[in-house]
Amino acid sequence: SGVPVAVLKEAEDTRVKAAFVLFVTEQGDALFTRRSENSKHPGEWDLPGGGVDEGESDEEGARRETMEEIGVDPGDGLIIIDAQADPDGVDATTFLQKTKRFIPRLNPNEHDKYLWAPLTSPPEPMHDGLARTLHAQAALGRPWRASSTPNARWAEPLTGSKASTRLHNASFERQ
C-alpha cells in the first residue's frame, strides 16, 4: 500500500474498541438509554455499553458495561448484529439480546433516562453510532435477525432457546 508498517500499526493502536447490547422484546421494542450530562455526548440516546478493556472480548466488555450502566447482566446468547469502524476511531460491536421489558437501574454518571420504544421509532437525538447501526438494520430489511457466526452479519430469525434470555438483578414489567 506504500504506507510504512509502523504508521499502520500506530493508527491501529489509536482505535478504541466498544461494545453495546440491543435489548429487544418480542413486540419489537428496544431499550434506549439517554446519556447524562456527566458523560460523552450528553443528551443523546444510545444503547447500554461502552469501552472494551484490554484483554476483554467484545462480549465480555458488553456484559461488564451493561452491568455498570443499567445493573443488568444480559445473560448468555448474545448475538452479533453489527460491527463498525467509525470515523472517530471507535470499533464498535453491537449484540442483540431478546428479552421481556424490565426496569433498568441507571448509573447516573452514565445515563439519566431510559425508554422502551419501537426500533422503527427510536428517540432523538440519537448517538451517531446508534443511528448507523439502526440504519444498517433497516437497509437490510431484517431488523430482528442476527448472526451467531462471528464473520457473518445476518442469519435466520431467533427462535426457541436461542431467543431465551437470562437477565439477573432486573425487575420485569407486565407486558
Side-chain angles (χ1 to χ4, degrees):
S1 69
V3 179
V5 173
V7 172
L8 291 174
K9 177 69 175 141
E10 182 179 328
E12 185 177 290
D13 289 344
T14 61
R15 296 199 61 82
V16 176
K17 286 177 63 174
F20 301 89
V21 178
L22 175 62
F23 291 96
V24 179
T25 68
E26 289 294 325
Q27 294 76 27
D29 291 338
L31 175 65
F32 297 96
T33 53
R34 191 174 75 177
R35 293 182 176 202
S36 72
E37 292 300 318
N38 303 326
S39 67
K40 292 181 183 177
H41 305 279
E44 292 182 358
W45 290 91
D46 204 354
L47 302 175
V52 175
D53 290 341
E54 189 170 332
E56 274 186 321
S57 69
D58 290 346
E59 185 171 336
E60 290 167 338
R63 286 177 193 283
R64 179 185 48 75
E65 284 285 340
T66 300
M67 282 295 299
E68 290 174 7
E69 293 185 4
I70 66 169
V72 172
D73 176 348
D76 295 329
L78 291 178
I79 298 172
I80 296 173
I81 59 167
D82 193 46
Q84 298 183 24
D86 82 11
D88 296 325
V90 178
D91 295 334
T93 302
T94 303
F95 294 91
L96 173 70
Q97 183 59 284
K98 291 288 216 170
T99 188
K100 294 180 181 177
R101 282 185 184 221
F102 61 90
I103 299 171
R105 291 192 317 262
L106 300 180
N107 175 340
N109 293 321
E110 300 280 348
H111 304 284
D112 60 8
K113 281 189 175 181
Y114 77 92
L115 176 68
W116 286 95
L119 279 170
T120 55
S121 300
E124 295 284 343
M126 235 186 311
H127 182 273
D128 287 346
L130 173 58
R132 283 189 296 272
T133 296
L134 295 181
H135 178 74
Q137 290 180 6
L140 290 171
R142 297 179 278 178
W144 331 131
R145 295 184 187 189
S147 172
S148 57
T149 307
N151 295 322
R153 288 179 70 94
W154 298 95
E156 291 304 309
L158 299 176
T159 57
S161 64
K162 289 183 181 177
S164 68
T165 184
R166 270 187 325 154
L167 288 174
H168 304 286
N169 305 320
S171 302
F172 289 90
E173 297 175 4
R174 283 261 191 245
Q175 299 226 31

